[in-house]
Amino acid sequence: MIRSFCSVIFSICLAVSAMAQQRFISQYGDLNNTLYHLKEDKKVTVTFLGGSITNMTGWRDQVGDYLRAAYPHIRWTFNNAGIPSLGSLPHSFRFGRDVAELGKTDLLFLEAAVNDHVNETNEITQRRAMEGIIRHALAVNPEMNIVLMAFVDEDKMADYRAGKIPLEVRVHEDMAKKYHLPFINLAKEVTTRIDAGEFTWKDDFKDLHPSPFGQTLYFNTIKVLLDEAFSKPAPAKLVAAKLPKPADKFNYEKGKYADIHQAKIIRGFRIDERWKPADNVGTREGFVNVPMLVSDSANAVVEFPFTGRAVGIAIVSGPDAGTISYSIDNGPVQTKNTHTQWSNGLYLPWYLLLGDGLTAGPHTLRIETGGGKEVCRIVYFLVNE
């Protein structure tokens, strides 16, 4: 009798918790195509695209474990496309290689709100990148379901407490509305629940890289979305998304990596086919022991011919990274500091947009290093056709 009573109370608590978490889930779209695969195809591929919070052990693993246990008859494939430090701009240019080339994705989880803030990505770039990722994904597989999420950091909490919606959250939600995608506002949930006295940032959540407690909080809200989506009757067929007119015609829908071997070395650069550092400073997987276009001397110059409306570089920014000068089509020379606040302790993957909103057609990007001992290491050119 006591056990039965306790079970009822536990069930009620779970239901109340789920109802509370639903406040932070916006059903701008559904997961009906994934539900169809669950009931009919018995095979589902899930891809997680994000930064370090996606890549680290935590909510992503919990989602995978939960789906395997809840639907043991399904042949699940889980792709971890999380790379620390990267936000929407890098994701939009690496989507083809790191997601599309892995094969057909049925369900995509996407988050860039934390790194877009930390990396100081401006609003126009965020919107072009997020829209580009979504349109690229649905062009590759129009039947893909996509879940957008906004994770929390202390600045987002400060914005909410000041009565403002954080910029990155607003961008994510605007794209979810336009493309009819479910959206989970975990930044608002954590802020609301901390302010209600349920737990604390310092002792429980601890960091923008959540503690196990915080990771489980993220997972539980994602689980509420999945449980509700998959409790419905299965649809009779798959429905392909119909892409609306883009919000920004310069979005990075056709963003891609371009091979450094396509560059024309003028002076002072060389290609190291398996670059690795000569010191003991740390590296990131995928950005070491790979081909790298490296400047070997002061005032090194390289040119890159391309066709497209945006161009940039993915670099490895280490302790010796410095300022570069660049121009497009012999236009005005601009400068950019490639050294970051993290570069002294890490050869960091860093993505720099050098030209945007260009006219369609062929262009040439010219890059020159400074006169000192600073080094520029380019792992990919970025092109949006």
Side-chain angles (χ1 to χ4, degrees), residues 16 35 133 144 236 255 274 291 309 366:
V16 171
L35 177 58
I133 296 165
M144 187 188 303
R274 290 187 60 83
R309 294 193 159 193
R366 179 183 172 92

Side-chain angles (χ1 to χ4, degrees), residues 2-3 16 18 26-27 50 78 87-88 95 114 127 141 144 150 165 183 188 204 223 235 270 273 287 293 299 382:
I2 294 176
R3 182 176 299 174
V16 171
S26 298
Q27 302 282 3
F78 296 101
S88 61
F95 186 89
V114 168
R127 290 187 178 278
N141 177 15
M144 187 188 303
I165 299 175
F183 172 64
K188 188 174 184 180
D204 300 305
K223 179 178 177 294
R270 64 180 174 84
E273 295 293 348
F287 297 87
L293 182 61
N299 303 118
L382 313 175

Side-chain angles (χ1 to χ4, degrees), residues 21 53 58-60 62-63 111 114 149-153 184-187 189-190 193 201 205 207-210 212-224:
Q21 288 164 307
I53 303 169
W59 71 269
R60 173 181 52 79
Q62 291 174 282
V63 168
E111 200 282 340
V114 168
M149 306 174 294
F151 293 158
V152 70
D153 55 56
I184 307 177
N185 191 345
L186 292 156
E189 176 179 359
V190 171
R193 295 179 67 178
W201 180 267
F205 208 86
D207 189 17
L208 60 82
H209 296 103
F213 171 90
Q215 295 282 358
T216 299
L217 186 152
Y218 280 1
F219 160 68
N220 283 336
T221 303
I222 295 167
K223 179 178 177 294
V224 170

